[in-house]
Amino acid sequence: MELGHVVVLAGGLSYEREVSLRSGRRVTEALRALDIPVELRDADATLLDSLSDDPPDAVFPVLHGAAGEDGSIRDVLELLDVRYVGARPDACRVAWDKPTAKSVVRRAGLRTPDSVALPKEVFHDLGASSVLDHIIRSLGLPLFVKPTRGGSALGASVVHEAADLSAAMVGCFAYGDAALVERYVAGTEISVSVVERDGTPTALPAVEIVAPGGIYDYTARYDAGDTEFVTPARLDADATARATAAAVTAHRALGLRDLSRTDLIVSPDGEVHFLEVNVAPGMTETSLFPRAISVAGLDLGEVCRDLILSRFP
């Protein structure tokens, strides 16, 4: 069919607003290069009236952070009976909550680092010092601390010394009300994107991430030149097969749709460890999803167009 009106939805009010706008502009340009009539819209107070007054053929959400990835905006799109690309609300809610997602993929047979999730209130009510001592006693060091919900590594940090855990928790709570503290797994950090083609989830080439100082933080993600990306990742054939299979397993187990990106660590013994999954992968010039698309010999605009068309019966 011929698409007559597509809306790319970006922006919003999360901490990741600027990254989302960059993603939205890139998807918009990629679709326009195929002569598809496309409009970039912000998720603001004018959106609902706009979608109601001039219903698009489909919406392509590239909203990052809360609302964009927790299912709420997609709930609204379903209320309006608007077709959209990506996972449905219930699946988003499961994937958005990292401890829940870890439980789901563990039941599906994937390895994921041992962890504990602590709301801010529990951390304070039970006594911060005592809680931190028990975390270290149980999980050991080093540790990785991040918000249970959120993206772009905001509020995330590696803790090598016991004395640094308290500050890491405070930094984490600046971006969310609960912290996920994981046993740190050393190894090769990779990201595997999944695209559904003809309804079948297909893994794209794994992207290896070599961040300055070994920490793939917000700056390393979005400042061009700070991080080295190797695609395909420098893994042997067996580890590559396990990593791509893990990404497809996570996509299916979490009930995702159309596209996703799974972050993994491959330890020196070749074991693959699930970290988290993203239902709205970044589409910026430094993002991993478009990089994998390119290395696979595909065109970003064509992939986005095909995902839109897949929403039509």
Side-chain angles (χ1 to χ4, degrees):
M1 66 167 290
E2 184 175 337
L3 293 168
H5 180 202
V6 172
V7 168
V8 173
L9 190 54
L13 295 176
S14 79
Y15 292 115
E16 299 172 74
R17 171 180 172 79
E18 291 306 316
V19 175
S20 174
L21 289 172
R22 286 165 57 186
S23 290
R25 286 191 289 268
R26 186 159 190 202
V27 171
T28 300
E29 292 166 2
L31 290 171
R32 282 180 180 159
L34 301 178
D35 295 323
I36 295 172
V38 57
E39 175 188 11
L40 178 62
R41 290 299 309 268
D42 203 337
D44 58 21
T46 68
L47 179 64
L48 296 188
D49 287 343
S50 172
L51 294 178
S52 298
D53 295 342
D54 184 18
D57 293 334
V59 170
F60 199 117
V62 283
L63 289 161
H64 307 320
E69 297 180 65
D70 68 0
S72 55
I73 288 290
R74 298 167 198 236
D75 265 327
V76 172
L77 293 176
E78 296 210 350
L79 284 174
L80 296 174
D81 198 25
V82 173
R83 294 182 178 90
Y84 61 91
V85 171
R88 300 193 65 184
D90 286 350
C92 287
R93 281 186 273 273
V94 174
W96 174 244
D97 187 79
K98 294 179 177 68
T100 303
K102 282 166 65 75
S103 296
V104 171
V105 302
R106 184 181 283 114
R107 288 197 298 270
L110 299 186
R111 289 191 175 205
T112 185
D114 291 339
S115 62
V116 61
L118 289 172
K120 185 188 301 185
E121 293 80 5
V122 170
F123 181 69
H124 289 298
D125 292 350
L126 298 184
S129 178
S130 178
V131 171
L132 296 180
D133 286 345
H134 280 82
I135 290 174
I136 294 171
R137 192 173 303 140
S138 175
L139 297 178
L141 289 167
L143 297 166
F144 195 87
V145 179
K146 57 187 175 184
T148 59
R149 301 176 176 184
S152 293
L154 292 167
S157 60
V158 178
V159 175
H160 292 282
E161 302 292 337
D164 298 330
L165 182 54
S166 179
M169 298 293 285
V170 171
C172 178
F173 288 138
Y175 290 95
D177 292 331
L180 177 65
V181 184
E182 292 182 315
R183 180 175 288 145
Y184 179 78
V185 177
T188 303
E189 185 171 1
I190 65 170
S191 178
V192 180
S193 297
V194 170
V195 174
E196 292 189 10
R197 314 198 76 183
D198 298 322
T200 301
T202 303
L204 299 175
V207 180
E208 178 181 347
I209 303 154
V210 186
I215 302 175
Y216 191 41
D217 58 13
Y218 185 90
T219 300
R221 286 167 188 254
Y222 301 115
D223 285 359
D226 284 351
T227 300
E228 178 186 3
F229 301 100
V230 183
T231 315
R234 294 168 293 190
L235 303 171
D236 62 37
D238 287 344
T240 297
R242 285 193 292 272
T244 55
V248 171
T249 295
H251 184 93
R252 285 178 166 148
L254 292 164
L256 304 184
R257 187 178 73 171
D258 294 335
L259 74 168
S260 67
R261 194 200 72 231
T262 296
D263 298 332
L264 307 159
I265 291 285
V266 182
S267 55
D269 60 4
E271 291 295 338
V272 175
H273 303 261
F274 170 92
L275 299 179
E276 58 187 79
V277 70
N278 192 305
V279 301
M283 299 287 186
T284 75
E285 60 280 356
T286 61
S287 294
L288 306 176
F289 185 90
R291 187 178 299 270
I293 289 284
S294 177
V295 172
L298 303 172
D299 176 79
L300 179 62
E302 292 177 358
V303 169
C304 292
R305 177 201 61 198
D306 291 347
L307 290 175
I308 295 169
L309 291 175
S310 73
R311 293 298 98 226
F312 293 83

mmCIF file of all heavy atoms in Angstrom, residues 179-210:
data_model
loop_
_atom_site.group_PDB
_atom_site.id
_atom_site.type_symbol
_atom_site.label_atom_id
_atom_site.label_comp_id
_atom_site.label_asym_id
_atom_site.label_seq_id
_atom_site.Cartn_x
_atom_site.Cartn_y
_atom_site.Cartn_z
ATOM 1 N N ALA A 179 16.336 1.387 42.991
ATOM 2 C CA ALA A 179 17.645 1.051 42.423
ATOM 3 C C ALA A 179 17.749 -0.454 42.209
ATOM 4 O O ALA A 179 17.272 -1.244 43.021
ATOM 5 C CB ALA A 179 18.762 1.513 43.350
ATOM 6 N N LEU A 180 18.370 -0.812 41.117
ATOM 7 C CA LEU A 180 18.722 -2.204 40.847
ATOM 8 C C LEU A 180 20.227 -2.326 41.040
ATOM 9 O O LEU A 180 21.006 -1.654 40.371
ATOM 10 C CB LEU A 180 18.339 -2.588 39.415
ATOM 11 C CG LEU A 180 18.711 -4.006 38.970
ATOM 12 C CD1 LEU A 180 17.935 -5.043 39.776
ATOM 13 C CD2 LEU A 180 18.448 -4.188 37.481
ATOM 14 N N VAL A 181 20.614 -3.176 41.982
ATOM 15 C CA VAL A 181 22.039 -3.400 42.248
ATOM 16 C C VAL A 181 22.371 -4.807 41.773
ATOM 17 O O VAL A 181 21.843 -5.795 42.292
ATOM 18 C CB VAL A 181 22.359 -3.249 43.745
ATOM 19 C CG1 VAL A 181 23.861 -3.382 43.979
ATOM 20 C CG2 VAL A 181 21.840 -1.916 44.273
ATOM 21 N N GLU A 182 23.250 -4.893 40.772
ATOM 22 C CA GLU A 182 23.605 -6.166 40.166
ATOM 23 C C GLU A 182 25.059 -6.527 40.456
ATOM 24 O O GLU A 182 25.910 -5.633 40.591
ATOM 25 C CB GLU A 182 23.464 -6.104 38.641
ATOM 26 C CG GLU A 182 22.070 -5.971 38.108
ATOM 27 C CD GLU A 182 22.063 -5.975 36.587
ATOM 28 O OE1 GLU A 182 22.898 -5.289 35.971
ATOM 29 O OE2 GLU A 182 21.220 -6.678 36.014
ATOM 30 N N ARG A 183 25.322 -7.813 40.513
ATOM 31 C CA ARG A 183 26.704 -8.272 40.513
ATOM 32 C C ARG A 183 27.327 -7.904 39.172
ATOM 33 O O ARG A 183 26.771 -8.197 38.117
ATOM 34 C CB ARG A 183 26.759 -9.777 40.742
ATOM 35 C CG ARG A 183 28.181 -10.353 40.746
ATOM 36 C CD ARG A 183 28.158 -11.818 41.101
ATOM 37 N NE ARG A 183 27.852 -12.018 42.497
ATOM 38 C CZ ARG A 183 27.133 -13.028 42.979
ATOM 39 N NH1 ARG A 183 26.610 -13.916 42.160
ATOM 40 N NH2 ARG A 183 26.922 -13.137 44.271
ATOM 41 N N TYR A 184 28.431 -7.217 39.198
ATOM 42 C CA TYR A 184 29.076 -6.774 37.958
ATOM 43 C C TYR A 184 29.719 -7.960 37.254
ATOM 44 O O TYR A 184 30.440 -8.749 37.871
ATOM 45 C CB TYR A 184 30.141 -5.722 38.273
ATOM 46 C CG TYR A 184 30.879 -5.214 37.065
ATOM 47 C CD1 TYR A 184 30.301 -4.271 36.221
ATOM 48 C CD2 TYR A 184 32.156 -5.676 36.765
ATOM 49 C CE1 TYR A 184 30.975 -3.802 35.113
ATOM 50 C CE2 TYR A 184 32.842 -5.211 35.655
ATOM 51 C CZ TYR A 184 32.241 -4.271 34.834
ATOM 52 O OH TYR A 184 32.921 -3.809 33.730
ATOM 53 N N VAL A 185 29.425 -8.091 35.969
ATOM 54 C CA VAL A 185 30.000 -9.157 35.164
ATOM 55 C C VAL A 185 30.977 -8.532 34.179
ATOM 56 O O VAL A 185 30.591 -7.704 33.342
ATOM 57 C CB VAL A 185 28.913 -9.933 34.400
ATOM 58 C CG1 VAL A 185 29.538 -11.001 33.510
ATOM 59 C CG2 VAL A 185 27.923 -10.572 35.379
ATOM 60 N N ALA A 186 32.230 -8.906 34.276
ATOM 61 C CA ALA A 186 33.240 -8.390 33.348
ATOM 62 C C ALA A 186 33.172 -9.168 32.042
ATOM 63 O O ALA A 186 32.810 -10.348 32.018
ATOM 64 C CB ALA A 186 34.635 -8.521 33.958
ATOM 65 N N GLY A 187 33.509 -8.502 30.960
ATOM 66 C CA GLY A 187 33.511 -9.177 29.676
ATOM 67 C C GLY A 187 33.302 -8.204 28.543
ATOM 68 O O GLY A 187 33.513 -6.994 28.685
ATOM 69 N N THR A 188 32.875 -8.730 27.415
ATOM 70 C CA THR A 188 32.629 -7.921 26.230
ATOM 71 C C THR A 188 31.192 -7.422 26.251
ATOM 72 O O THR A 188 30.253 -8.212 26.271
ATOM 73 C CB THR A 188 32.871 -8.747 24.948
ATOM 74 O OG1 THR A 188 34.204 -9.252 24.961
ATOM 75 C CG2 THR A 188 32.662 -7.901 23.707
ATOM 76 N N GLU A 189 31.038 -6.099 26.254
ATOM 77 C CA GLU A 189 29.699 -5.517 26.262
ATOM 78 C C GLU A 189 29.191 -5.410 24.832
ATOM 79 O O GLU A 189 29.865 -4.838 23.971
ATOM 80 C CB GLU A 189 29.716 -4.134 26.918
ATOM 81 C CG GLU A 189 28.341 -3.520 27.070
ATOM 82 C CD GLU A 189 28.343 -2.260 27.909
ATOM 83 O OE1 GLU A 189 29.434 -1.840 28.358
ATOM 84 O OE2 GLU A 189 27.255 -1.702 28.122
ATOM 85 N N ILE A 190 28.018 -5.966 24.583
ATOM 86 C CA ILE A 190 27.461 -5.944 23.236
ATOM 87 C C ILE A 190 25.990 -5.568 23.286
ATOM 88 O O ILE A 190 25.344 -5.638 24.338
ATOM 89 C CB ILE A 190 27.619 -7.293 22.498
ATOM 90 C CG1 ILE A 190 26.807 -8.390 23.204
ATOM 91 C CG2 ILE A 190 29.075 -7.682 22.357
ATOM 92 C CD1 ILE A 190 26.717 -9.677 22.396
ATOM 93 N N SER A 191 25.489 -5.178 22.134
ATOM 94 C CA SER A 191 24.076 -4.901 21.976
ATOM 95 C C SER A 191 23.604 -5.627 20.727
ATOM 96 O O SER A 191 24.263 -5.572 19.684
ATOM 97 C CB SER A 191 23.857 -3.390 21.835
ATOM 98 O OG SER A 191 22.490 -3.094 21.637
ATOM 99 N N VAL A 192 22.484 -6.316 20.843
ATOM 100 C CA VAL A 192 21.929 -7.048 19.703
ATOM 101 C C VAL A 192 20.520 -6.540 19.438
ATOM 102 O O VAL A 192 19.633 -6.660 20.293
ATOM 103 C CB VAL A 192 21.911 -8.568 19.947
ATOM 104 C CG1 VAL A 192 21.329 -9.280 18.720
ATOM 105 C CG2 VAL A 192 23.313 -9.092 20.243
ATOM 106 N N SER A 193 20.336 -5.947 18.277
ATOM 107 C CA SER A 193 19.023 -5.442 17.884
ATOM 108 C C SER A 193 18.242 -6.537 17.178
ATOM 109 O O SER A 193 18.819 -7.399 16.508
ATOM 110 C CB SER A 193 19.178 -4.236 16.961
ATOM 111 O OG SER A 193 19.819 -3.168 17.625
ATOM 112 N N VAL A 194 16.939 -6.487 17.343
ATOM 113 C CA VAL A 194 16.039 -7.457 16.719
ATOM 114 C C VAL A 194 15.006 -6.692 15.905
ATOM 115 O O VAL A 194 14.436 -5.702 16.380
ATOM 116 C CB VAL A 194 15.345 -8.337 17.773
ATOM 117 C CG1 VAL A 194 14.233 -9.181 17.148
ATOM 118 C CG2 VAL A 194 16.369 -9.234 18.473
ATOM 119 N N VAL A 195 14.785 -7.135 14.680
ATOM 120 C CA VAL A 195 13.755 -6.571 13.814
ATOM 121 C C VAL A 195 12.866 -7.710 13.338
ATOM 122 O O VAL A 195 13.364 -8.771 12.950
ATOM 123 C CB VAL A 195 14.367 -5.852 12.594
ATOM 124 C CG1 VAL A 195 13.274 -5.404 11.627
ATOM 125 C CG2 VAL A 195 15.190 -4.657 13.025
ATOM 126 N N GLU A 196 11.576 -7.502 13.390
ATOM 127 C CA GLU A 196 10.666 -8.515 12.871
ATOM 128 C C GLU A 196 10.493 -8.320 11.372
ATOM 129 O O GLU A 196 10.158 -7.227 10.906
ATOM 130 C CB GLU A 196 9.309 -8.439 13.580
ATOM 131 C CG GLU A 196 9.398 -8.859 15.036
ATOM 132 C CD GLU A 196 8.038 -9.005 15.692
ATOM 133 O OE1 GLU A 196 7.018 -8.962 14.970
ATOM 134 O OE2 GLU A 196 7.999 -9.157 16.936
ATOM 135 N N ARG A 197 10.755 -9.387 10.636
ATOM 136 C CA ARG A 197 10.593 -9.365 9.186
ATOM 137 C C ARG A 197 9.619 -10.473 8.814
ATOM 138 O O ARG A 197 9.864 -11.636 9.147
ATOM 139 C CB ARG A 197 11.943 -9.553 8.492
ATOM 140 C CG ARG A 197 13.047 -8.693 9.100
ATOM 141 C CD ARG A 197 14.223 -8.536 8.199
ATOM 142 N NE ARG A 197 13.920 -7.586 7.123
ATOM 143 C CZ ARG A 197 14.776 -7.300 6.144
ATOM 144 N NH1 ARG A 197 15.944 -7.919 6.083
ATOM 145 N NH2 ARG A 197 14.453 -6.427 5.209
ATOM 146 N N ASP A 198 8.507 -10.075 8.209
ATOM 147 C CA ASP A 198 7.428 -11.031 7.912
ATOM 148 C C ASP A 198 6.955 -11.736 9.179
ATOM 149 O O ASP A 198 6.639 -12.929 9.170
ATOM 150 C CB ASP A 198 7.886 -12.062 6.870
ATOM 151 C CG ASP A 198 8.248 -11.419 5.540
ATOM 152 O OD1 ASP A 198 7.554 -10.460 5.149
ATOM 153 O OD2 ASP A 198 9.217 -11.877 4.911
ATOM 154 N N GLY A 199 6.967 -10.982 10.288
ATOM 155 C CA GLY A 199 6.477 -11.516 11.550
ATOM 156 C C GLY A 199 7.467 -12.354 12.329
ATOM 157 O O GLY A 199 7.145 -12.832 13.422
ATOM 158 N N THR A 200 8.672 -12.535 11.797
ATOM 159 C CA THR A 200 9.673 -13.363 12.459
ATOM 160 C C THR A 200 10.773 -12.496 13.051
ATOM 161 O O THR A 200 11.420 -11.727 12.321
ATOM 162 C CB THR A 200 10.297 -14.357 11.471
ATOM 163 O OG1 THR A 200 9.272 -15.177 10.916
ATOM 164 C CG2 THR A 200 11.335 -15.231 12.158
ATOM 165 N N PRO A 201 11.026 -12.570 14.372
ATOM 166 C CA PRO A 201 12.114 -11.783 14.966
ATOM 167 C C PRO A 201 13.464 -12.239 14.432
ATOM 168 O O PRO A 201 13.803 -13.422 14.491
ATOM 169 C CB PRO A 201 11.987 -12.069 16.467
ATOM 170 C CG PRO A 201 10.611 -12.612 16.655
ATOM 171 C CD PRO A 201 10.275 -13.329 15.383
ATOM 172 N N THR A 202 14.229 -11.294 13.909
ATOM 173 C CA THR A 202 15.538 -11.591 13.320
ATOM 174 C C THR A 202 16.592 -10.722 13.985
ATOM 175 O O THR A 202 16.433 -9.495 14.063
ATOM 176 C CB THR A 202 15.523 -11.312 11.800
ATOM 177 O OG1 THR A 202 14.491 -12.087 11.186
ATOM 178 C CG2 THR A 202 16.857 -11.651 11.171
ATOM 179 N N ALA A 203 17.648 -11.344 14.475
ATOM 180 C CA ALA A 203 18.722 -10.600 15.123
ATOM 181 C C ALA A 203 19.638 -9.976 14.084
ATOM 182 O O ALA A 203 20.013 -10.602 13.089
ATOM 183 C CB ALA A 203 19.524 -11.521 16.044
ATOM 184 N N LEU A 204 20.002 -8.727 14.303
ATOM 185 C CA LEU A 204 20.969 -8.023 13.472
ATOM 186 C C LEU A 204 22.372 -8.262 14.029
ATOM 187 O O LEU A 204 22.526 -8.777 15.144
ATOM 188 C CB LEU A 204 20.639 -6.530 13.462
ATOM 189 C CG LEU A 204 19.265 -6.161 12.908
ATOM 190 C CD1 LEU A 204 19.022 -4.665 13.068
ATOM 191 C CD2 LEU A 204 19.136 -6.565 11.447
ATOM 192 N N PRO A 205 23.417 -7.910 13.278
ATOM 193 C CA PRO A 205 24.781 -8.124 13.780
ATOM 194 C C PRO A 205 25.013 -7.456 15.131
ATOM 195 O O PRO A 205 24.581 -6.323 15.365
ATOM 196 C CB PRO A 205 25.645 -7.481 12.688
ATOM 197 C CG PRO A 205 24.826 -7.574 11.445
ATOM 198 C CD PRO A 205 23.404 -7.379 11.903
ATOM 199 N N ALA A 206 25.670 -8.177 16.020
ATOM 200 C CA ALA A 206 25.959 -7.648 17.355
ATOM 201 C C ALA A 206 26.945 -6.491 17.272
ATOM 202 O O ALA A 206 27.914 -6.538 16.512
ATOM 203 C CB ALA A 206 26.529 -8.753 18.239
ATOM 204 N N VAL A 207 26.685 -5.458 18.049
ATOM 205 C CA VAL A 207 27.578 -4.298 18.133
ATOM 206 C C VAL A 207 28.366 -4.392 19.430
ATOM 207 O O VAL A 207 27.782 -4.467 20.517
ATOM 208 C CB VAL A 207 26.796 -2.976 18.095
ATOM 209 C CG1 VAL A 207 27.753 -1.794 18.182
ATOM 210 C CG2 VAL A 207 25.947 -2.885 16.829
ATOM 211 N N GLU A 208 29.682 -4.405 19.329
ATOM 212 C CA GLU A 208 30.547 -4.402 20.506
ATOM 213 C C GLU A 208 30.810 -2.966 20.921
ATOM 214 O O GLU A 208 31.079 -2.099 20.091
ATOM 215 C CB GLU A 208 31.857 -5.113 20.192
ATOM 216 C CG GLU A 208 32.853 -5.132 21.350
ATOM 217 C CD GLU A 208 34.156 -5.826 20.989
ATOM 218 O OE1 GLU A 208 34.197 -6.500 19.937
ATOM 219 O OE2 GLU A 208 35.134 -5.681 21.749
ATOM 220 N N ILE A 209 30.746 -2.720 22.223
ATOM 221 C CA ILE A 209 30.878 -1.365 22.761
ATOM 222 C C ILE A 209 32.167 -1.286 23.574
ATOM 223 O O ILE A 209 32.339 -2.008 24.557
ATOM 224 C CB ILE A 209 29.673 -1.028 23.656
ATOM 225 C CG1 ILE A 209 28.370 -1.176 22.860
ATOM 226 C CG2 ILE A 209 29.804 0.365 24.247
ATOM 227 C CD1 ILE A 209 27.169 -1.470 23.717
ATOM 228 N N VAL A 210 33.056 -0.410 23.155
ATOM 229 C CA VAL A 210 34.311 -0.194 23.879
ATOM 230 C C VAL A 210 34.304 1.258 24.343
ATOM 231 O O VAL A 210 34.706 2.170 23.614
ATOM 232 C CB VAL A 210 35.531 -0.493 22.999
ATOM 233 C CG1 VAL A 210 36.813 -0.394 23.831
ATOM 234 C CG2 VAL A 210 35.417 -1.872 22.356
#
